[in-house]
Amino acid sequence: MILFGTNPIAWTNDDDQSIGAHIPTEQILHEAGEVIGFDGIENGHRWPSDPQQLKDLLGRYGLKFVSGWYSTALLTRSVEEEIAAVQEHLARLEANGCKVCIACECSNTVHGRPDVPVNARPRLTAEDMAQFGRKMEEFAQYLASRGVTLAYHHHMGTVVESPEEIDAFMAATGPATHLLFDTGHCTFGGGDPEAVLKRHVGRVAHFHAKNIRRAVTDEVRAKGMSFLQGVLAGAFTVPGDPEGAIDFQPLLKILADAGYDGWLVIEAEQDPDRRNPLEYQSLGLKSLKDMARAAGLH
């Protein structure tokens, strides 16, 4: 069954919490659930940490808890330490019936640093990637034993950004490690999203429908801008935006042909003062639903 979700970063950013800080939490949930009509919403810094309080809060607006970002630090700590660190987050996922844990290695990421160019991100050697993959697979096996699938989020500013790194990471991990395929990060990272998705669709457990404005992402690269500077400049947008560069229809058809079953999430952070979240998320959901239906995703 296909469900449609959003992420609160369309309204208020997690990496720079001053972006959208003036927007009330109740407005975010009301617009997402009761006005636009999403099935669920991902994690954000505004949500309560208590699993039951979280479930009750979202439920009042007709929303499910989709899942949420978890920052791993497997390059700097052991798998045992990672397992200990994830317990509070895992409890929230389990209590809310989440099927996936969205994970991204953040021990040395630059995406949350406004003063560091995204081009200056860390990179792993082939040997380091192999070791990292072994540890991530062990961590994913633990999550699987708890009934939760690890969905790794390739992301700008991190050690898994480029299409070659996505390929290397997937080769370095095993069957317990799945992929969160993010259309915007794949394209911004230099990949052809159709080609990358075709290679790994069998292990895709979560899907972020994120669009990019090509002129802005090119400017970020050329001018050595930080990831957050790119966000504020308008690097990302929603499916259906005529300014967007990504054709989602063939990507959704690839998912349909592979029998994808799960969430399609519009995760597209913008400056809410420049681009109204209600307007853009409404456009995104209508466009994504229309395209999913045409692709045969039900």
Side-chain angles (χ1 to χ4, degrees), residues 172-236:
T173 54
T177 302
H178 289 68
L179 186 67
L180 183 163
F181 186 78
D182 187 300
T183 55
H185 283 280
C186 179
T187 308
F188 194 170
D192 172 353
E194 284 186 58
V196 177
L197 181 57
K198 281 179 181 177
R199 288 200 294 273
H200 302 296
V201 68
R203 288 169 67 187
V204 169
H206 202 56
F207 188 86
H208 277 177
K210 190 187 200 94
N211 211 342
I212 68 161
R213 294 182 177 91
R214 177 74 72 181
V216 180
T217 60
D218 287 348
E219 182 184 24
V220 171
R221 291 295 201 195
K223 294 186 177 179
M225 296 165 65
S226 71
F227 179 76
L228 286 170
Q229 287 173 327
V231 168
L232 289 171
F236 300 121

Side-chain angles (χ1 to χ4, degrees), residues 118-129:
V118 73
N119 295 345
R121 68 181 181 86
R123 288 170 170 81
L124 298 181
T125 65
E127 182 180 344
D128 289 340
M129 180 66 81

Side-chain angles (χ1 to χ4, degrees), residues 121-154:
R121 68 181 181 86
R123 288 170 170 81
L124 298 181
T125 65
E127 182 180 344
D128 289 340
M129 180 66 81
Q131 182 179 3
F132 171 57
R134 286 193 294 270
K135 293 173 75 175
M136 187 63 70
E137 176 66 11
E138 187 177 342
F139 181 57
Q141 289 171 1
Y142 167 77
L143 292 176
S145 76
R146 296 281 293 266
V148 176
T149 297
L150 185 145
Y152 191 85
H153 193 340
H154 58 97

Side-chain angles (χ1 to χ4, degrees), residues 57-73:
L57 174 64
L58 301 187
R60 289 201 293 272
Y61 298 89
L63 293 164
K64 298 179 176 69
F65 185 49
V66 176
S67 183
W69 177 286
Y70 174 73
S71 298
T72 60

Side-chain angles (χ1 to χ4, degrees), residues 5-25:
T6 186
N7 190 297
I9 59 172
W11 288 264
T12 177
N13 200 280
D14 281 338
D15 294 315
D16 180 350
Q17 296 182 11
S18 69
I19 301 171
H22 60 286
I23 300 176
T25 299

